[in-house]
Amino acid sequence: MTALEVAAAACLLLGAALAFAAGVGMYRFPDTLSRMHPATKPQVLGLHLILLAMWLRVPTWTTAGTLLLVGVFQVITATVAAYMVGRAAYRARTPDDDGTAIPPRDARA
């Protein structure tokens, strides 16, 4: 095994572990605003480590360009999605609601 293969394997395993941790966090955290953190930060970092592992395995400029586009679009969409979900959960919140329930149709803005 070469050093690039070892680095790719390490990035792949660490990325998979972060993606798994994000899934566990999504399951264990109690409300929507708390679940936003594992849905964005460890998941995006895990994906970037997996993309890095893919590039280390096939280190060409064509592969790098494609993987870079995937990484940039993931950061943009995860950020916008987290903002929109957090805003909707915050606005739909009532004193006896944790924000995870879908509000009735007439209460939606």
Side-chain angles (χ1 to χ4, degrees):
M1 290 185 86
T2 65
L4 283 178
E5 290 174 343
V6 171
C11 287
L12 186 65
L13 289 174
L14 187 58
L18 283 170
F20 179 74
V24 170
M26 289 286 294
Y27 178 73
R28 295 198 38 111
F29 284 153
D31 61 345
T32 303
L33 297 177
S34 298
R35 288 184 190 132
M36 283 176 31
H37 177 78
T40 54
K41 291 175 180 57
Q43 183 270 334
V44 170
L45 181 59
L47 176 77
H48 281 102
L49 285 171
I50 291 171
L51 294 175
L52 177 62
M54 291 172 63
W55 182 74
L56 289 172
R57 189 74 177 118
V58 185
T60 63
W61 286 108
T62 305
T63 306
T66 305
L67 297 176
L68 184 64
L69 280 174
V70 170
V72 167
F73 285 135
Q74 177 65 31
V75 168
I76 292 169
T77 56
T79 305
V80 171
Y83 172 76
M84 295 306 288
V85 167
R87 184 172 183 259
Y90 182 78
R91 291 182 69 188
R93 198 174 248 194
T94 60
D96 59 339
D97 182 20
D98 67 353
T100 59
I102 298 173
R105 190 168 252 337
D106 59 341
R108 293 181 191 170

